Every structure is written in structure tokens, then in C-alpha cells.
Amino acid sequence: MRKFTLFVASLFLAVGAMAQITDASQLSSDKCYHITSKDGNRGAFYAKPDEGYLSHCGGTYGNYLNKDVTKDPTSTAQQFAFVEYEGKLYLWSVSEKKFAQKDGNFVKLVNSTSDFVTVVANGSYFNININGTNKLNFSGGYDYGVYANYQTDDDGNNLVITEAGSFDPAEAIAALKGDFLEDNIVLAWNTSTTWEDVAVEDYSSVVFN
């Protein structure tokens, strides 16, 4: 009986750790998340290894991609982080170690980006908008499974966001810094009167003689 009780307690703790987000303020840069659809039939956001685009898996509709891959919040290919940098959020694939960036109608996974996302409550669900206006949408019948150029409210862009584990944002933030500052390499005059490459975050701190 004791073993069964311990098993139930462990199961309860495991489920508790997979808490569904109910308010965007609960999102944290040190957590990763599993993103699914309102109706549950469209699968989960998925970064297919080496494909280079945001897709989906585990859906039940006939024209959906990667149906042979089961929805699994413990799979890093189905885990995404909302990385905060300079007051904005950026969507990061945990498995591919890349950011979401709008590429025409689809979402490319890139090393660094300036394409931010906003997470907007829509009733009990959320819209994830890239660059503030383009809803990320589960879609079938395309080369890639997440569409980024469809604004009509529907079950494909009303999303469920569930906490899937801990996440260290250091690598992602470093990549964003590199993009924003372009490594901030400038030629500066140093004390030995030679030019050298220096990395700075504030150009006003560099003195040119």
C-alpha cells in the first residue's frame, strides 16, 4: 500500500510540474514550454531535426505533417522557450537551439533574430504573434506545419501553452546580443595608440581621438 501511495504522489508531482499557463505573466525565461492547439487535434509545435522550419507533429487531421511523431512534452524537439531580452520575447527551439523568424508565410529557425513575439490572451487560450501582428497558426497541406500569415481567429491559432521543464536562457541571450550588437566590434583608439577591436554595448562609451 505504501508503494502505491508513493507512486500516486510521484505521479501527482509530475503532473503538477506540467502546469498549463493561464496568464501570460506566468511565462518565464528559465522555463520551456509545450505548445498545442485549442481543439487538441492539431498536434504540437515541433522542430523537426535539421529541417530548419517550425512545424507540428502528432496531429490527427489527414493533411497534417509528422503524424507518426507522438505529442510528447518531454521531447526537446517539442519544447520552446520564450526568451526575454531588452523587454521583448523571442521564441527559441530547445532542440535546434535556434529562434523563430518569419519567412514569408512560414517560420524559419535561425541562429539569431530581431523577430520578437507577443503572447496575447484570447479567452482561455493564447495567440502567439510574431512581430506583433502575425499569428502563429497550425496548418495542414503546406511544406511546413506552422503558418505565419493568417489573421482570422480559429482553433489553429488559439493555443495551449504548458510548462515542460526548466531552461537555461544564457546561450539564447548570448545569440541575441550578438545579433543586436553585431558583436559590437568597433575600431577604438587604445592607450598604446594602436587600433584594436573592442566589444561594447554602448557606443557612447567609446572615445575616438
Side-chain angles (χ1 to χ4, degrees), residues 81-92 99-102 107 110 112-120 128-136 148 176 179-180:
F82 295 92
V83 179
E84 184 175 2
Y85 182 68
E86 303 224 331
K88 292 183 178 179
L89 296 178
Y90 301 85
L91 187 63
W92 169 269
F99 289 99
Q101 177 172 287
K102 190 174 185 298
V107 181
V110 298
S112 194
T113 186
S114 58
D115 283 8
F116 64 92
V117 299
T118 54
V119 182
V120 181
I128 299 176
N129 303 327
I130 194 160
N131 288 333
T133 57
N134 297 279
K135 296 178 182 179
L136 300 188
L176 285 170
D179 185 70
F180 270 84

Side-chain angles (χ1 to χ4, degrees), residues 7-179:
F7 171 76
V8 171
S10 298
L11 184 61
F12 176 79
L13 288 172
V15 172
M18 305 290 288
Q20 182 175 323
I21 299 301
T22 57
D23 190 283
S25 65
Q26 296 172 330
L27 295 173
S28 173
S29 286
D30 62 3
K31 302 290 184 183
C32 60
Y33 300 91
H34 192 236
I35 301 169
T36 56
S37 65
K38 175 181 178 179
D39 64 7
N41 297 321
R42 299 168 191 261
F45 277 15
Y46 175 55
K48 187 175 181 178
D50 301 319
E51 183 173 73
Y53 281 82
L54 184 59
S55 191
H56 52 56
C57 68
T60 60
Y61 292 121
N63 60 354
Y64 267 49
L65 303 174
N66 308 302
K67 291 192 294 182
D68 57 327
V69 179
T70 303
K71 285 191 296 185
D72 179 6
T74 68
S75 167
T76 57
Q78 298 176 44
Q79 292 178 348
F80 297 86
F82 295 92
V83 179
E84 184 175 2
Y85 182 68
E86 303 224 331
K88 292 183 178 179
L89 296 178
Y90 301 85
L91 187 63
W92 169 269
S93 162
V94 172
S95 62
E96 296 298 289
K97 298 181 183 294
K98 292 185 177 182
F99 289 99
Q101 177 172 287
K102 190 174 185 298
D103 182 36
N105 292 327
F106 303 102
V107 181
K108 196 171 186 177
L109 296 175
V110 298
N111 291 325
S112 194
T113 186
S114 58
D115 283 8
F116 64 92
V117 299
T118 54
V119 182
V120 181
N122 189 352
S124 301
Y125 304 96
F126 295 95
N127 298 138
I128 299 176
N129 303 327
I130 194 160
N131 288 333
T133 57
N134 297 279
K135 296 178 182 179
L136 300 188
N137 196 89
F138 281 91
S139 293
Y142 297 103
D143 290 338
Y144 309 110
V146 174
Y147 198 74
N149 210 11
Y150 181 75
Q151 302 307 314
T152 303
D153 192 51
D154 67 11
D155 287 354
N157 52 47
N158 282 310
L159 306 176
V160 176
I161 303 174
T162 305
E163 185 181 317
S166 297
F167 172 73
D168 182 354
E171 182 178 0
I173 290 173
L176 285 170
K177 276 190 173 184
D179 185 70

